[in-house]
Amino acid sequence: MNTSPNGTVAWEIVERIAWVKYNRPDKRNCMSPTLNREMAQVLEDLEFREDVGVLVLTGEGAAFSAGMDLKEYFRETAQQGLGAIRKAQRQAYGWWERLRWYHKPTIAMVNGWCFGGAYGPLFGCDLAFAADEAQFGLSEINWGILPGGGASKVVSELLPFRKAMYHAMMGENLTGRQAAEWGLVNESVPLTLLKERVTEVAGVLLGKNPVALRATKDAIRRVREMTYDNAEDYLIRAQEAADSFDGEGRKEATRQFIDEKSFKPGLGAYDLGGRPS
Ligand code: COA
């Protein structure tokens, strides 16, 4: 494992999957300003590497992330004044935004505790898989604040209204299984099988046309806020823009299906022929 200068983030690349870990297990991987700065740098360093096709965000030890660091992110910046508070917010929100629009497909692998601020990067990742044993909580109400840092937005985006309201107001945790039932994550599996399942999903993504994947993930996020007509128009233009990056991809796929009859798009991806991402 490689680590960031202060050791708050660890990462390695294995067979084109970048495994990026919150690395403050003793502090349940809560997000300090140092961690936020270092995570931003690691994400930037990995984003356009040719040997990275998919990025997985997970946590070392018992936690995915226990949210914002109540001491270093909240109390210590408050003691330094508004400028420090805003700077810390920009650093945190900055890398979550980067994740939302990341060039490569991203997967959150929620191995344990996932609280409050951690919902930002959870939503930032395109897909999310949890351990059955994981615990998800909007604990803010338990210590006297509202779910900020995007967390209220995340549950409003991902959960039905009543469930979002209950989750935010009651301060009760969801298990990984419940989080999957409620739609906060795609699936949950026993912790012992989590990495295997995520590796399997990442492997499928690695077999898809990377230009199409980027266009697809951006499209799914963008159209949420558009009218139907605007979305239709955006999608025409987004596909044409994608064609300008990789006009040959769809032609080759069409050839393999119509002429060569070597694959069926309804049943899997066409052969990329060793094409790098
Ligand atoms: N901010 C600052 N420190 C935190 C933290 C956070 N969000 N979450 C955990 N820690 C620290 C604890 O203070 C403790 O530090 P210490 O060893 O110096 O005393 C250490 O991490 C271990 O935490 P502990 O509470 O002993 O672990 P646990 O396994 O018994 O419980 C949690 C785990 C996640 C349930 C518990 O730590 C917790 O409730 N954390 C806060 C979660 C939260 O409300 N986050 C929302 C922030 S937006």
Side-chain angles (χ1 to χ4, degrees):
M1 274 278 177
N2 307 283
T3 51
S4 56
N6 290 288
T8 61
V9 180
W11 59 273
E12 66 178 344
I13 299 168
V14 181
E15 293 175 0
R16 307 198 60 237
I17 304 172
W19 298 89
V20 177
K21 285 186 168 184
Y22 291 101
N23 194 38
R24 300 180 74 207
D26 294 348
K27 298 288 180 187
R28 304 299 178 264
N29 297 323
C30 65
M31 289 175 270
S32 62
T34 304
L35 183 145
N36 290 327
R37 274 196 306 279
E38 296 199 329
M39 187 65 87
Q41 190 61 54
V42 167
L43 292 181
E44 178 163 336
D45 292 346
L46 293 172
E47 189 167 13
F48 292 97
R49 282 180 62 141
E50 294 242 322
D51 58 348
V52 174
V54 174
L55 183 136
V56 177
L57 178 66
T58 188
E60 179 62 40
F64 175 69
S65 169
M68 308 320 292
D69 187 322
L70 270 66
K71 179 167 169 281
E72 293 186 38
Y73 179 84
F74 286 118
R75 192 166 69 187
E76 290 177 3
T77 55
Q79 285 162 352
Q80 292 162 38
L82 187 60
I85 293 170
R86 290 288 181 265
K87 185 174 173 190
Q89 288 168 337
R90 278 197 299 272
Q91 285 167 341
Y93 302 171
W95 77 262
W96 305 345
E97 181 192 20
R98 182 106 192 211
L99 212 46
R100 289 198 298 279
W101 305 106
Y102 208 65
H103 192 70
K104 308 285 169 64
T106 51
I107 304 173
M109 184 169 91
V110 184
N111 50 303
W113 303 112
C114 178
F115 284 107
Y119 281 36
L122 176 72
F123 180 63
C125 290
D126 305 320
L127 302 174
F129 292 79
D132 292 343
E133 299 90 332
Q135 295 269 331
F136 292 77
L138 286 186
S139 54
E140 284 88 342
I141 196 66
N142 292 341
W143 60 281
I145 67 167
L146 61 76
S152 293
K153 176 68 172 163
V154 172
V155 292
S156 297
E157 288 283 324
L158 297 182
L159 304 182
F161 177 78
R162 292 289 176 213
K163 284 190 163 31
M165 204 57 108
Y166 187 94
H167 193 50
M169 292 178 72
M170 295 293 282
E172 295 173 0
N173 294 343
L174 301 173
T175 62
R177 275 190 183 194
Q178 289 171 310
E181 282 162 18
W182 283 27
L184 208 47
V185 298
N186 293 92
E187 279 175 33
S188 89
V189 295
L191 180 60
T192 49
L193 301 178
L194 183 61
K195 188 167 185 186
E196 190 182 316
R197 176 64 182 135
V198 169
T199 304
E200 183 181 58
V201 171
V204 173
L205 296 173
L206 288 171
K208 309 287 187 198
N209 179 312
V211 174
L213 268 182
R214 174 72 210 261
T216 299
K217 60 186 238 148
D218 283 3
I220 296 296
R221 280 192 197 269
R222 293 277 183 214
V223 299
R224 294 173 73 86
E225 293 176 0
M226 294 181 192
T227 62
Y228 193 97
D229 286 343
N230 287 346
E232 227 176 34
D233 191 51
Y234 166 86
L235 294 169
I236 289 170
R237 287 160 213 291
Q239 182 57 55
E240 287 172 359
D243 284 346
S244 74
F245 277 103
D246 183 20
E248 293 311 305
R250 70 194 300 181
K251 287 185 198 154
E252 173 59 16
T254 306
R255 190 188 67 76
Q256 288 179 21
F257 176 50
I258 299 292
D259 304 330
E260 205 173 77
K261 300 196 185 302
S262 56
F263 95 115
K264 294 180 192 293
L267 302 179
Y270 76 100
D271 182 358
L272 294 177
R275 175 190 191 290
S277 64

